[in-house]
Amino acid sequence: MVGLENVIFKNQEIKNERLELTDKNSLYYLSTALTLRECTLVLKVPASRLIIKQARFIDCTFEVKQELKNYQSWTAASLKGCRFKGRLSGCDFGYWPEYASAPWYQHGSIEDCDFTEARLDGCRFLGCDPATLRFPKWPCFTLLEPIARADELNRVEWPGGYRPIVVDGPYQDPPRTRAVTLYAPSIARRFKTTEDAFREVIERFDGIVY
């Protein structure tokens, strides 16, 4: 991007360091053959300033200081034993090779990660085992195996006409989706209803973490 300084991390292993990715005039690349172990990454840039391509993160902590929105490049990362803090919305994690033809999307994975200190809104987990993940509690809630249970989930009348899982049309959830985490206050505002109305429906189901 014109006018931005490229800050590139690649072809190295970094252990037990704190990396602050906060400069609004920089474009950060976490790229090929990069392994970070037991590092803390402070993220305070928009999604357009953070590029992940086939990097590995092991036992790292991500401190998201500025809400990270609509970020699919986590699916080009290998995440193991990591902890996330802060606000993330519309982000995807895990194995989703169909997302793009670029080779780094063949290497995405997530396991043993902890999101209990994060606020997730419309975040999906693909091609992974959600049993290895720790999800945030209410007012976040997580639908487990939503594709397999789409008929069951959509058969219920949700507040405001909300439809939790889309299985057809151009905006359908990917078949690999194993879990999706939503933020009740955001949905309640969008559909002109209340958090309590959503919770009443959620409490009827097994397979929802809240």
Side-chain angles (χ1 to χ4, degrees), residues 169-188:
Y171 302 109
Q172 68 183 20
D173 291 292
R176 293 183 186 272
T177 304
R178 300 293 307 279
V180 57
T181 302
L182 303 154
Y183 183 56
S186 174
I187 301 172

Side-chain angles (χ1 to χ4, degrees), residues 137-144 149 152-153 156-159 162 164 180-185 187-188 194-210:
K137 300 301 185 182
W138 186 262
C140 291
F141 63 97
T142 301
L143 310 177
L144 302 177
R149 299 170 56 231
E152 173 193 2
L153 292 167
V156 173
E157 184 176 342
W158 290 78
Y162 176 65
V180 57
T181 302
L182 303 154
Y183 183 56
I187 301 172
T194 66
E195 299 170 39
D196 288 342
F198 273 97
R199 183 150 185 161
E200 286 179 9
V201 176
I202 289 166
E203 289 175 344
R204 301 180 199 173
F205 289 97
D206 294 325
I208 298 182
V209 178
Y210 64 96

